[in-house]
Amino acid sequence: MNPYRIVVADDRFNGNYEQEREALSGLEYEFVVCREDMPPQEFLSIAQEADALLVNLRPIPEETISHLRRCRIISRYGIGVDNVDVEAATAAGIWVSNVPDYGIEEVSDHAAALLLACARLIMVKDRGIRVGKWNHTAGLKAFRLHGKVLGIVGYGRIARAFHRKMKGFGFARTLVYDPYIPSEEISRAGGEAADLFTLLREADYISIHAPLTKETRHLIGEREIGMMKPTAVIVNTSRGAIIDQQALQRALEEHRILGAGLDVFEEEPLPKDSPLRDLENVVLSDHSAYYSEESLVDLKRKAALNVKETLLKGRPLYPVNNPGS
C-alpha cells in the first residue's frame, strides 16, 4: 500500500509539526508542508494528489476542491470553516472537520482583555507615557463597567466562557443575541435574550462571538453601528467580516462610538495603510486570540487526529459535514 499523502496547505507554524506527527503515529504517510505565500496553482499541483489537507487560513474554494482527486478530508486548524467551501466538499464526498473545543479560555480571555483595554484607555496611556506624556488620554473618556449593560452577539462555547468571566464586573444586565439558542437557556445562564437591534441600542459594551456565515457577513453595518450609544465599545474576536470594517472605521474617526477592540479584520494581515492603525480609540491585535502554548498543542493534535480517524475509520472526530448523507 502506498503511503497516505497529507498536505499542510499553509505553513503558519514555521515547520513545527511535532504534535501532528505524534498524533499520526501508526500511519504510513508522507507529510508535505506548503508555504503560506505559495501561489494557488503551485499549491494545487501539490494538493491534487493529497489524501488529506490540513488547512489554516488558505482559502479552499470550489475550484480547488474540484481538482482534489483522492482527498478524503479537509481538516481545519480552528473552529470556523468559512475559508472552506463546505457545500462543494460535501458534494465531492470529502469530509470537513474542525476543532470546536480548543482555545475557549484563550479567546474569551482575549475578548475580556480587549474590552478592558478599551474601557480603561490602556493603550492610549501606554503610548502617551512612552513619549513623555502624563495624565494624557487624547480627549477620550473612560466609563465604569459596574452597573452597565453588556451585549453578547452569538452564544456558543467561547461566548459563554466570556459571559462567565465578565459576571464579576457587576454588569446590571447582559443582553444576548443568538437566534439559534432558546431564550430559556440564555436566561438560565444569567442573560436576557434580545433581538440584535435592542442589544445594539441598549448595550454599553458589545462582544462579537458569532461564526461567519452568509447570514452574519456584515451583520454589523452602517445602520447597526448608527444604533449604538456614542459611549459604546465593540469588541470582535470572531471574524472580521461580521463587521463592515469601513463603516466601523468611519464611526471611530467621527467619534460616533467610544472605541473598538479588534483581533480580526476583513483583510488579513491588516494593510499597512489601514486608517485603523492611526486611530487612538481602537485596540488592535493580530488574529491571535486563540493563542497560548497549551491551546496550540490541542489545536495541532486534534486537527491531525481528525485526519487519522478519517483515513483509518472513515470519519473525523469533529465532523462539520456529512458527505455520505
Side-chain angles (χ1 to χ4, degrees):
M1 178 179 173
N2 293 326
Y4 292 114
R5 183 178 176 85
I6 300 172
V7 174
V8 177
D10 43 343
D11 182 17
R12 292 195 76 206
F13 302 127
N14 299 315
N16 180 7
Y17 293 95
E18 180 181 347
Q19 286 83 19
E20 287 88 341
R21 293 182 185 279
E22 184 177 328
L24 292 167
S25 64
L27 280 183
E28 187 177 353
Y29 65 92
E30 61 170 330
F31 198 75
V32 182
V33 179
C34 299
R35 305 187 318 275
E36 280 190 89
D37 61 351
M38 182 178 285
Q41 282 304 119
E42 185 180 351
F43 164 70
L44 193 58
S45 68
I46 295 171
Q48 61 187 358
E49 298 297 337
D51 296 286
L53 292 181
L54 281 160
V55 178
N56 210 307
L57 297 180
R58 181 181 290 276
I60 308 295
E62 182 179 8
E63 181 182 1
T64 297
I65 290 169
S66 68
H67 286 82
L68 301 178
R69 296 174 182 169
R70 64 189 208 205
C71 186
R72 294 168 60 184
I73 179 170
I74 300 169
S75 178
R76 167 80 171 86
Y77 283 112
I79 297 173
V81 291
D82 47 280
N83 58 320
V84 178
D85 189 328
V86 178
E87 290 185 8
T90 304
I94 300 172
W95 288 97
V96 177
S97 65
N98 66 348
V99 186
D101 58 353
Y102 100 102
I104 293 168
E105 296 302 322
E106 288 78 5
V107 179
S108 56
D109 284 351
H110 202 89
L114 287 173
L115 189 154
L116 291 169
C118 292
R120 299 305 308 155
L121 306 177
I122 298 300
M123 302 309 296
V124 175
K125 293 176 181 291
D126 177 83
R127 287 190 293 266
I129 290 171
R130 291 175 186 273
V131 295
K133 297 178 181 179
W134 196 254
N135 289 334
H136 166 74
T137 58
L140 301 177
K141 297 178 180 179
F143 298 90
R144 67 176 55 158
L145 277 63
H146 184 86
K148 295 297 195 299
V149 178
L150 177 65
I152 302 176
V153 178
Y155 205 58
R157 291 182 177 95
I158 293 170
R160 295 175 196 223
F162 171 78
H163 185 190
R164 167 174 53 83
K165 293 169 183 178
M166 298 307 293
K167 286 178 179 178
F169 288 94
F171 285 97
R173 302 164 65 204
T174 298
L175 303 180
V176 176
Y177 169 69
D178 192 322
Y180 302 100
I181 303 295
S183 57
E184 298 81 8
E185 189 173 332
I186 293 170
S187 296
R188 285 196 299 270
E192 301 175 34
D195 62 79
L196 180 62
F197 292 166
T198 298
L199 184 152
L200 293 170
R201 284 193 298 263
E202 298 186 12
D204 299 284
Y205 300 93
I206 300 166
S207 190
I208 307 295
H209 297 282
L212 180 61
T213 65
K214 293 177 182 177
E215 291 74 26
T216 62
R217 183 174 294 276
H218 285 191
L219 180 69
I220 311 296
E222 189 75 49
R223 179 178 65 157
E224 290 75 19
I225 292 170
M227 296 177 180
M228 294 166 58
K229 297 178 180 180
T231 54
V233 168
I234 189 166
V235 168
N236 190 5
T237 53
S238 184
R239 285 293 185 269
I242 293 174
I243 301 177
D244 181 335
Q245 190 167 299
Q246 289 190 342
L248 176 62
Q249 176 190 306
R250 288 192 295 270
L252 291 166
E253 289 172 337
E254 297 166 9
H255 295 278
R256 287 187 278 119
I257 63 173
L258 186 67
L262 305 175
D263 183 59
V264 289
F265 307 90
E266 289 204 65
E267 181 181 349
E268 296 181 356
L270 185 66
K272 292 181 179 180
D273 61 352
S274 171
L276 290 173
R277 293 176 178 268
D278 299 320
L279 296 177
E280 290 279 17
N281 53 348
V282 61
V283 177
L284 309 174
S285 60
D286 54 349
H287 202 150
S288 55
Y290 71 91
Y291 169 72
S292 74
E293 287 299 303
E294 294 88 348
S295 71
L296 205 56
V297 170
D298 284 345
L299 173 66
K300 290 157 66 66
R301 183 175 63 85
K302 290 179 178 179
L305 283 174
N306 276 325
V307 168
K308 183 177 182 179
E309 289 292 305
T310 303
L311 295 180
L312 290 183
K313 301 178 182 179
R315 181 185 176 91
L317 288 173
Y318 303 106
V320 171
N321 65 341
N322 187 351
S325 63

